[in-house]
Amino acid sequence: MTVEKLFKIFPPFPGVSEARPDHCRTCAVVGNSGNLAGSHYGLLIDHHDTVIRMNRGRTKGYEGDVGTKTTHHVMYPESAIDLDNTTHLVFFGFKMRDMEWLLKSFDLENYNKVNYKRRANKDLVMILNPAFMKYVYEKWLQKKGSYPSTGFMTVILSLVICDEVSVFGFGADSDGNWSHYFERLGNKNFRTGPHPGAYEYELLEKLHKDKKIHFFRGF
Ligand code: C5P
């Protein structure tokens, strides 16, 4: 019922660009690690066709290190921000409550009113099948940790929808902390919550070594 309603409002098929022999689809996946601070990756990130950011990741005030372009933004109810009209909201919902939140966030009665503050453009919402999370957890992470991090799922998604994937903003900062480039976290320990952060990092390094992604480790 909820799912049926969802796909009456949001596109049932995502608008991803198809593979073409005459065009390399380049993607930058930008995690939120503090190792982006002082990196000067901004121009490099903006050079990609697709730039995917996540959760509370922002560009204002950090343009030199993280760029200005955002074509896609992955977020959850708990980490939602308002997106501009040209950015795709990528939704890895896995609980019924997530789906209900999505429905509630788009107040259709007011959607077309001039001064109505939209969360995002509803025609650009991309809802991932929860089976994708299960696939990443079982096949990529060998069931380590409780569930994959948003960032890691986004990297794997990019391997599916892009030809060339560059990864920024993953892993600890230079002090060994799991911090964000836009805030100092109080906790000084390397901490990845329920995610197998160290294992995900190892996999990113392996993908880089095998030339499947370009992994930019930050500063
Ligand atoms: O912290 P947050 O979940 O908003 O960060 C988005 C993603 O960036 C995480 O899911 C994780 O994959 C990655 N990240 C990281 N190292 C950090 C912070 C975030 O790898 N220090």
Side-chain angles (χ1 to χ4, degrees):
M1 185 69 175
T2 305
V3 172
E4 239 170 66
K5 270 196 224 157
L6 272 181
F7 291 112
K8 282 205 179 112
I9 299 171
F10 305 113
F13 300 104
V16 293
S17 61
E18 297 288 326
R20 290 200 329 244
D22 59 337
H23 179 69
C24 175
R25 298 165 302 170
T26 60
C27 263
V29 179
V30 187
N32 286 333
S33 171
N35 68 30
L36 284 172
S39 67
H40 302 290
Y41 284 152
L43 285 178
L44 180 61
I45 289 174
D46 281 348
H47 204 63
H48 293 77
D49 301 324
T50 297
V51 178
I52 314 180
R53 302 184 194 273
M54 49 203 81
N55 296 334
R56 298 196 189 282
R58 64 205 65 175
T59 55
K60 200 163 183 286
Y62 304 92
E63 292 86 349
D65 291 333
V66 306
T68 56
K69 179 168 166 183
T70 308
T71 62
H72 293 69
H73 198 107
V74 184
M75 62 194 198
Y76 294 95
E78 299 79 11
S79 61
I81 56 167
D82 291 325
L83 305 181
D84 66 33
N85 207 35
T86 56
T87 302
H88 291 80
L89 191 173
V90 181
F91 200 67
F92 286 110
F94 56 95
K95 317 185 274 311
M96 203 40 105
R97 233 180 319 131
D98 296 337
M99 307 303 176
E100 284 160 1
W101 171 85
L102 199 54
L103 278 177
K104 266 196 253 133
S105 302
F106 290 80
D107 176 2
L108 287 184
E109 283 183 12
N110 290 310
Y111 191 78
N112 287 323
K113 293 203 176 131
V114 177
N115 289 326
Y116 174 64
K117 182 90 188 83
R118 292 188 185 138
R119 171 123 277 166
N121 183 339
K122 72 177 174 54
D123 298 327
L124 298 182
V125 172
M126 293 166 63
I127 305 170
L128 267 289
N129 190 320
F132 186 76
M133 185 181 228
K134 186 171 170 351
Y135 157 73
V136 174
Y137 183 59
E138 293 181 357
K139 302 291 177 203
W140 285 87
L141 296 178
Q142 316 292 327
K143 299 192 183 176
K144 292 195 173 58
S146 308
Y147 49 95
S149 76
T150 310
F152 191 75
M153 279 193 290
T154 308
V155 172
I156 304 305
L157 175 67
S158 300
L159 288 173
V160 179
I161 63 173
C162 310
D163 300 311
E164 201 174 292
V165 176
S166 306
V167 176
F168 304 85
F170 281 69
D173 62 16
S174 53
D175 297 329
N177 300 319
W178 180 271
S179 60
H180 288 147
Y181 64 87
F182 48 86
E183 64 188 354
R184 292 298 301 167
L185 294 181
N187 193 326
K188 283 278 159 205
N189 303 315
F190 183 67
R191 208 175 53 88
T192 61
H195 310 302
Y199 188 64
E200 290 183 355
Y201 194 86
E202 264 176 44
L203 286 176
L204 292 180
E205 294 210 295
K206 181 165 185 332
L207 284 169
H208 178 77
K209 203 165 144 260
D210 294 346
K211 300 195 172 7
K212 304 289 185 209
I213 63 171
H214 303 284
F215 184 24
F216 296 86
R217 292 179 183 75
F219 286 81

